[in-house]
Amino acid sequence: MAVLESAELGQVEYREEDLWSFPEGLPAFEHLHRFLAVRRATFHPLMVLCSVDDPAVRFICAPVELLDPDYQLQLAPEDCPSLEWVAEGEPEAKLYVVLSFPEQGSPTANLLAPIVVNARRGIGAQVVLAGSSYPVRYPLPGMRGDEQ
Amino acid sequence: MIVIRRRPGEKIWLGPSISIEILSLSPSRVKLGVTAPADVTVVRGEVLEAATENRLAAASVKADDISRLAEVLRGFRQIA
């Protein structure tokens, strides 16, 4: 059992086999490859994707169907080679979107670059879609900026 | 912005070491060949946007904000 020290989540215990490997890291964080998906009842259905190598780096993620139940992932052939299992149509691919909390305005979700994960194999990647009209800042439903 | 018209097979140079060649053309796409030294990052525009967005997303928020947001989303989508 190892422990992740998170400023927001406190001490989180995990096993190596629970980790997800991101061979290409994430845009702006290409050097980070080992991540832990933290889920808790208090913030269900959100998930916090934490880097175990740099605990200051974590992303708050939502399952894509929460934001857009009709979301369609269309991968181009040049998308990350580490995602060949997605191209093969494996049903185990799960999609999450990363949430941002700007200083001004309500939180948004990045629908243009979903995080695609195969939990069974423990590998994932953030795929930046090409030629897509999905927005990089999709306003979250139920939050109009004038929420209390 | 500098606007240059090129045909397939023609090149543009950015400084002495970076070149962009038009390899082929189709009605909706252009294929570009970029030659640049190893210390120059060549990425699609959207990837740079995703990098900027990730930096913003990785900035810390209070733990309460995560719970409160989850509550709003649960209510909106009627999730148990």
Side-chain angles (χ1 to χ4, degrees), chain A residues 28-146:
Chain A
F29 300 96
E30 289 85 358
H31 59 293
L32 299 176
H33 304 289
R34 296 159 70 230
F35 287 83
L36 179 68
V38 181
R39 293 183 182 81
R40 291 198 180 145
T42 51
F43 50 78
H44 171 78
L46 301 181
M47 173 269 282
V48 184
L49 188 69
C50 304
S51 164
V52 298
D53 298 312
D54 185 350
V57 177
R58 93 297 163 263
F59 302 97
I60 298 163
C61 304
V64 71
E65 56 272 14
L66 188 65
L67 281 307
D68 182 355
D70 302 316
Y71 191 83
Q72 294 293 322
L73 181 71
Q74 281 150 341
L75 292 184
E78 61 264 25
D79 285 323
C80 344
S82 54
L83 286 189
E84 40 192 52
W85 47 266
V86 176
E88 286 155 22
E90 271 200 40
E92 298 147 335
K94 183 109 175 74
L95 272 63
Y96 296 92
V97 290
V98 177
L99 308 185
S100 297
F101 297 80
E103 290 258 346
Q104 309 286 348
S106 37
T108 60
N110 187 347
L111 296 187
L112 185 64
I115 289 186
V116 184
V117 175
N118 182 319
R120 184 179 65 84
R121 295 200 200 187
I123 58 172
Q126 183 167 19
V127 181
V128 184
L129 302 178
S132 167
S133 54
Y134 279 125
V136 69
R137 291 198 183 162
Y138 180 74
L140 298 190
M143 312 191 78
R144 294 281 174 253
D146 48 19

Side-chain angles (χ1 to χ4, degrees), chain B:
Chain B
M1 177 178 280
I2 298 168
V3 178
I4 302 174
R5 284 180 162 69
R6 300 274 67 191
R7 290 191 182 85
E10 294 178 341
K11 261 187 185 180
I12 298 170
W13 284 88
L14 305 178
S17 2
I18 303 170
S19 70
I20 304 176
E21 182 177 338
I22 316 299
L23 298 176
S24 66
L25 207 55
S26 79
S28 59
R29 265 193 200 214
V30 62
K31 192 189 274 191
L32 303 171
V34 182
T35 308
D39 61 335
V40 174
T41 319
V42 179
V43 289
R44 291 184 278 133
E46 326 63 281
V47 174
L48 212 59
E49 250 194 289
T52 304
E53 198 60 23
N54 277 354
R55 278 188 212 99
L56 179 67
S60 80
V61 293
K62 295 197 271 300
D64 289 352
D65 289 339
I66 309 176
S67 311
R68 217 170 329 118
L69 175 60
E71 208 180 313
V72 170
L73 290 172
R74 279 196 297 266
F76 184 79
R77 293 279 181 210
Q78 273 131 26
I79 293 168

